[in-house]
Amino acid sequence: MRSGNPSLTNNTFESYAGNADTSDQMTIQGTVNKTFILLVFIIISAIFTWTQYFAGQNVSPYITIGVIGSLIVALVTIFVKRMAPVLSPIYAMLEGLVIGGVSAIYESQFQGITFMAVSLTFSILLGLLLIYKSGLIKVTHNFRLGVAAATLGVLLTYLLSLILGFFGIQVPFIHETGTLGIIVSIVIVFIAALNLVLDFDFIERGAELGAPKYMEWYGAFGIMVTLVWLYLEILRLLYKVLANRN
């Protein structure tokens, strides 16, 4: 079992297989419910920074707190999975600060871009879920390896871009709004979307293996990691397209 999502690694569920009592096991419906709860936390937090921005406040500190805080909380959650019921809502709130602030900044430049990004994100989520459940996409071992490798490549590229940015060096096409920049963003959105398919498969297998109940929160946390990434990449792609048209 492998997922490109760094929060859902090979042994995430396998190490718990058979350890939970049958009355206290992870279920797919339970994970779905937890996912909706985390979405509510993200929306509440995002509304806060959104309104702060349009009220004329500086939201940069909130975004910084959200980025650093969510990274720390995510790492702790990944290594201490039993804390997922407590840490995943905190992660969602911190990510909401980032999403709300970043979305407001983009919205101030192109009105309606946030609605388009949200619509596309959930359309992709529902579309891929239906395709996955229909069996049209087969999650094979090679499929998992390919998506994991592509995801790692994207993460390393972003890390390199961040490091070089401190020295005033910009990685070509990552932030550019030209044709090649748009193509790069499309590829990254595609990779992020494929991670959702792996996450669906991973959670389904976790339920089949009888993982403990608290792993529902961990599975929902994993979905949120991918969903937030997908949304931000779609937002970036739409910005590039609209900026290129102007």
Side-chain angles (χ1 to χ4, degrees):
M1 293 166 55
R2 182 184 297 272
S3 171
N5 188 330
S7 68
L8 300 178
T9 55
N10 270 14
N11 300 320
T12 299
F13 293 126
E14 285 185 342
S15 59
Y16 296 99
N19 292 339
D21 184 83
T22 53
S23 62
D24 189 34
Q25 289 183 348
M26 173 185 182
T27 64
I28 294 176
Q29 185 59 53
T31 305
V32 171
N33 294 340
K34 269 69 172 183
T35 301
F36 277 114
I37 292 173
L38 295 185
L39 277 173
V40 171
F41 278 111
I42 284 182
I43 292 171
I44 292 173
S45 183
I47 289 175
F48 170 75
T49 45
W50 174 281
T51 54
Q52 288 293 303
Y53 179 86
F54 285 107
Q57 300 297 318
N58 179 18
V59 297
S60 296
Y62 297 121
I63 295 176
T64 302
I65 292 172
V67 170
I68 297 175
S70 62
L71 177 60
I72 293 173
V73 172
L75 290 174
V76 175
T77 305
I78 289 170
F79 288 105
V80 190
K81 298 176 180 62
R82 289 183 178 274
M83 293 294 293
V86 175
L87 295 180
S88 53
I90 297 175
Y91 170 83
M93 293 290 285
L94 290 168
E95 282 288 15
L97 293 177
V98 179
I99 289 176
V102 172
S103 298
I105 293 172
Y106 279 112
E107 184 73 17
S108 66
Q109 298 181 59
F110 296 104
Q111 187 175 3
I113 190 173
T114 302
F115 177 77
M116 287 190 291
V118 171
S119 299
L120 285 172
T121 300
F122 283 100
S123 295
I124 291 173
L125 172 66
L126 294 176
L128 287 176
L129 179 59
L130 290 174
I131 292 173
Y132 171 74
K133 296 302 292 184
S134 69
L136 293 176
I137 295 181
K138 301 296 182 182
V139 184
T140 64
H141 177 67
N142 288 334
F143 181 87
R144 296 187 184 100
L145 287 176
V147 175
T151 303
L152 180 60
V154 173
L155 294 178
L156 290 177
T157 301
Y158 277 150
L159 180 61
L160 177 63
S161 175
L162 179 64
I163 294 174
L164 292 178
F166 290 117
F167 300 97
I169 303 173
Q170 186 174 7
V171 177
F173 314 129
I174 294 296
H175 306 291
E176 295 180 8
T177 59
T179 303
L180 287 177
I182 292 174
I183 293 174
V184 169
S185 285
I186 291 174
V187 172
I188 295 175
V189 166
F190 182 71
I191 293 171
L194 290 181
N195 272 273
L196 281 175
V197 177
L198 295 189
D199 294 344
F200 298 150
D201 177 70
F202 210 83
I203 291 169
E204 186 173 56
R205 288 169 177 259
E208 291 174 355
L209 289 170
K213 196 71 173 177
Y214 66 82
M215 292 298 285
E216 291 178 352
W217 283 104
Y218 190 79
F221 160 74
I223 288 288
M224 284 298 101
V225 171
T226 304
L227 205 59
V228 168
W229 178 32
L230 177 62
Y231 169 75
L232 291 175
E233 292 299 342
I234 289 175
L235 194 62
R236 183 199 297 267
L237 172 60
L238 290 174
Y239 170 78
K240 289 182 178 182
V241 172
L242 293 173
N244 190 52
R245 288 175 58 184
N246 293 339

